[in-house]
């Protein structure tokens, strides 16, 4: 994988570029894709963003979001675009299986492939150019660096700023997680100098849900929470029935896992959700407990040290039992 500065000359003439990100893109994945989209368009390229799946409604306000293609809805068109791409950018994931059904087409196409990502253990062999840095707060901060370190840094504008701020803010938990660095704050200061209105972005992301989502959270906290004090672990499992009863949509469960760590002394929060096709884990930890390792070893997943995800094909109840067995092995690490 060559360093990304070697790529800049390739972007100077009109290229067909596809940008993609992980399935169910969050604020960072969508923000990075759209921030980069506006930048690459501004220097004269033909650019399309293809998302592997749908995304949360609270991202729809983002400039350019209406042009994003959902691979599952427009598969044929997406494949044509991928086949005619000169360059593919992969953002906020580092292993092709995180794009679900897009994995096979992505591995099959022969264009120049570029990685910009901050997760652990990148599958570097799939990429020609790239930057992978787990010390970065967000992929949006990395796209910001990519833009300001390029010969076209003067193209950075308010549209890009709004997209990039979204991912920096959401991936740092509004600037509280340990990955938030002086560089992160300097980048945001620069975006503010361009005229960024940050408070409207917080409102768009966090104050834009239906009543049913709040009632769903109330029910989950009251009736679906289990605290395993002997392991300093809080656990929550959400059934299909709950998702249907409260008409839960993509994005509505984001942030739910963070409540688990708000209990004094809790070091590990684990949320299991019964998505129809699989059971999906979200893990969060405080301090030294490494949920990336836990997810990789036992739950077919990965991510970062303090925030990771995983999956399972087991039934919800069976998977919960399995979790309770697995954490017995980690008893010492959780004290
Ligand atoms: P979340 O719990 O918010 O879905 O994900 C937390 C972090 O773990 C994110 O950085 C996300 O990209 C990563 N992650 C979530 N699910 C998976 C997974 O199945 N595999 C891997 N490798 N990473 C995941
Ligand atoms: Mn991210």
């Amino acid at each position: 994988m060559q360093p990304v500065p070697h790529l800049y000359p390739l972007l100077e003439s009109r290229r067909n570029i596809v940008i993609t990100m992980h399935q169910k893109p969050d604020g960072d994945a969508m923000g990075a894709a759209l921030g980069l989209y506006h930048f690459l368009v501004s220097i004269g390229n033909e650019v399309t963003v293809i998302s592997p799946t749908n995304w949360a409604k609270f991202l729809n306000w983002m400039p350019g979001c209406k042009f994003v293609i959902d691979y599952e809805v427009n598969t044929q068109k997406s494949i044509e675009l991928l086949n005619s791409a000169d360059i593919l950018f992969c953002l906020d994931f580092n292993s092709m299986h995180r794009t679900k059904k897009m994995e096979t087409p992505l591995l099959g196409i022969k264009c120049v492939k570029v990685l910009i990502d901050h997760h652990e253990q990148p599958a570097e062999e799939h990429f020609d150019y790239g930057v992978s840095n787990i010390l970065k707060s967000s992929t949006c901060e990395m796209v910001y660096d990519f833009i300001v370190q390029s010969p076209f840094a003067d193209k950075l504008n308010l549209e890009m700023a709004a997209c990039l701020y979204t991912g920096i803010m959401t991936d740092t938990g509004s600037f509280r997680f340990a990955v938030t660095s002086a560089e992160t704050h300097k980048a945001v200061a620069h975006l503010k100098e361009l005229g960024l209105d940050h408070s409207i972005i917080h409102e768009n992301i966090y104050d834009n849900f239906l009543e049913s989502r709040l009632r769903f959270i109330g029910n989950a906290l009251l009736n679906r929470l289990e605290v395993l004090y002997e392991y300093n672990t809080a656990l929550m499992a959400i059934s299909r029935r709950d998702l249907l009863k409260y008409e839960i949509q993509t994005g509505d469960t984001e942030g739910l896992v963070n409540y688990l760590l708000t209990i004094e002394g809790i070091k590990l929060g684990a949320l299991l959700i019964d998505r129809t096709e699989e059971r999906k884990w979200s893990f969060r930890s405080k301090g030294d407990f490494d949920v990336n390792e836990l997810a990789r070893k036992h739950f077919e997943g990965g991510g970062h040290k303090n925030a990771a995800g995983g999956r399972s094909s087991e039934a919800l109840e069976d998977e919960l039992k399995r979790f309770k067995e697995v954490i017995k092995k980690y008893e010492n690490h959780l004290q």
Side-chain angles (χ1 to χ4, degrees), residues 90 93 95-100 103 106-107 113 126-127:
C90 294
F93 69 96
S95 172
M96 297 303 191
H97 74 268
R98 301 254 14 247
T99 64
K100 260 179 109 175
E103 179 181 7
L106 290 187
L107 289 172
K113 292 176 186 162
H126 295 313
F127 301 97

Side-chain angles (χ1 to χ4, degrees), residues 277-279 300 311-316 318-319 322:
E277 65 283 13
E278 62 184 9
R279 264 48 63 208
E300 300 176 41
R311 61 165 303 284
S312 165
S313 306
E314 300 289 326
L316 195 73
D318 297 339
E319 183 63 5
R322 200 172 71 80

Side-chain angles (χ1 to χ4, degrees), residues 5-114:
H6 293 187
L7 184 70
Y8 292 133
L10 289 189
L11 303 176
E12 282 178 44
S13 53
R14 200 181 168 83
R15 303 281 173 168
N16 279 326
I17 299 179
V18 171
I19 301 171
T20 192
M21 61 299 231
H22 60 75
Q23 62 140 330
K24 302 278 175 190
D26 57 3
D28 190 34
M30 188 61 91
L34 288 173
L36 183 65
Y37 164 84
H38 291 297
F39 171 68
L40 294 172
V41 167
S42 77
I43 56 175
N45 295 287
E46 203 60 54
V47 190
T48 316
V49 179
I50 304 176
S51 169
T53 64
N54 68 350
W55 54 87
K57 272 207 312 264
F58 60 73
L59 298 175
N60 283 342
W61 63 272
M62 293 177 88
C65 200
K66 59 178 181 289
F67 303 122
V68 178
I69 296 176
D70 177 342
Y71 180 82
E72 290 185 329
V73 174
N74 282 304
T75 308
Q76 202 47 45
K77 186 174 174 198
S78 302
I79 287 177
E80 282 162 22
L81 285 161
L82 285 169
N83 284 334
S84 57
D86 304 312
I87 305 175
L88 171 75
F89 277 87
C90 294
L91 305 184
D92 204 36
F93 69 96
N94 61 23
S95 172
M96 297 303 191
H97 74 268
R98 301 254 14 247
T99 64
K100 260 179 109 175
K101 292 176 191 155
M102 266 174 85
E103 179 181 7
T104 308
L106 290 187
L107 289 172
I109 57 172
K110 290 281 172 279
C111 68
V112 170
K113 292 176 186 162
V114 187

Side-chain angles (χ1 to χ4, degrees), residues 26 28-29 92 118-119 137-139 171 304:
D26 57 3
D28 190 34
D92 204 36
H118 65 139
H119 293 90
S137 70
S138 52
T139 304
D171 259 29
H304 314 276

Side-chain angles (χ1 to χ4, degrees), residues 192-247:
K192 284 294 293 177
E193 282 163 3
L194 293 170
L196 174 80
D197 180 351
H198 68 278
S199 62
I200 189 82
I201 296 179
H202 287 250
E203 266 175 44
N204 285 337
I205 299 281
Y206 294 117
D207 301 341
N208 228 343
F209 295 104
L210 299 179
E211 176 188 337
S212 56
R213 188 253 184 184
L214 200 57
R215 295 198 183 279
F216 162 78
I217 291 176
N219 179 63
L221 295 176
L222 193 60
N223 300 313
R224 306 288 179 251
L225 172 68
E226 194 177 345
V227 186
L228 312 170
Y229 284 105
E230 65 275 38
Y231 301 109
N232 292 317
T233 294
L235 177 61
M236 185 182 276
I238 305 293
S239 66
R240 283 300 306 152
R241 252 180 82 202
D242 282 357
L243 297 177
L244 291 170
K245 180 175 172 195
Y246 293 96
E247 299 180 6

